Amino acid sequence: MESEEARIATPLGPLGLSARGDRLVAATFDAPPGRPGPTAGVLARAARELVEYFAGDRRAFTVPLGRPAGATPFQNRVWDALLSIPWGETRTYGQLARALGSSPRAVGGACHRNPLPLFIPCHRVVAQTGLGGYSGDWEHGRALTIKQRLLDHEAGRRVLSAG
């Protein structure tokens, strides 16, 4: 199956996108330079949907998503649960854990391994007493700034537009 990669500009910094065949399989903040912008196919569709999302015109992504070959059944269950959290709403790690018959730590681990942040909205999962982590950055740093900006955007507190 043919793989493609592209790097696009977003209001939160560069986002690397990877596709395999007709499915988006990865999204990575702070993608390295040198990847061209998408011109066709699933990557171009994902880029268009991101522009609409950041403009506030899209609340759910429709681009076809793939999952990594090594994903566990539990990770897939968590990622499916994340897809059911509507725009502008959050759930706690504990709420998802109870719904999945698991532990908050296990849910957090699956969120940490989410290959498609934004498209599989792990930013909508928060700790009972704060933000929690995002993209593996559990206590501080740029990833939590991105998570807060995404939550603010979806709550209508900040409008982001792709550049």
Side-chain angles (χ1 to χ4, degrees):
M1 201 175 287
E2 194 172 318
S3 294
E4 283 184 89
E5 292 185 346
R7 180 178 188 246
I8 65 163
T10 78
L12 303 173
L15 185 69
L17 300 175
S18 299
R20 193 173 320 115
D22 65 348
R23 301 218 172 257
L24 187 66
V25 295
T28 308
F29 284 104
D30 297 324
R35 300 181 197 183
T39 57
V42 71
L43 293 179
R45 179 175 171 185
R48 277 191 309 275
E49 289 191 7
L50 283 166
V51 168
E52 294 166 357
Y53 169 85
F54 286 120
D57 297 329
R58 174 171 294 281
R59 292 180 175 221
F61 294 103
T62 62
V63 63
L65 305 177
R67 303 285 173 91
T72 68
F74 178 73
Q75 289 169 339
N76 282 312
R77 285 181 42 223
V78 171
W79 298 337
D80 288 341
L82 299 178
L83 289 168
S84 71
I85 304 171
W87 161 285
E89 293 185 22
T90 60
R91 302 290 183 273
T92 66
Y93 295 101
Q95 287 171 319
L96 283 178
R98 282 188 294 282
L100 295 169
S102 182
S103 73
R105 186 175 298 269
V107 169
C111 289
H112 169 75
R113 290 172 190 82
N114 176 8
L116 289 159
L118 274 175
F119 294 94
I120 298 176
C122 56
H123 62 277
R124 296 179 186 154
V125 183
V126 297
Q128 190 168 345
T129 58
L131 278 180
Y134 187 60
S135 293
D137 189 344
W138 294 99
E139 294 186 23
H140 60 283
R142 180 163 157 62
L144 288 183
T145 300
I146 290 171
K147 181 175 185 170
Q148 186 63 63
R149 288 187 66 195
L150 290 170
L151 292 172
D152 287 346
H153 171 63
E154 291 186 7
R157 293 187 293 264
R158 177 180 293 174
V159 176
L160 303 173
S161 59

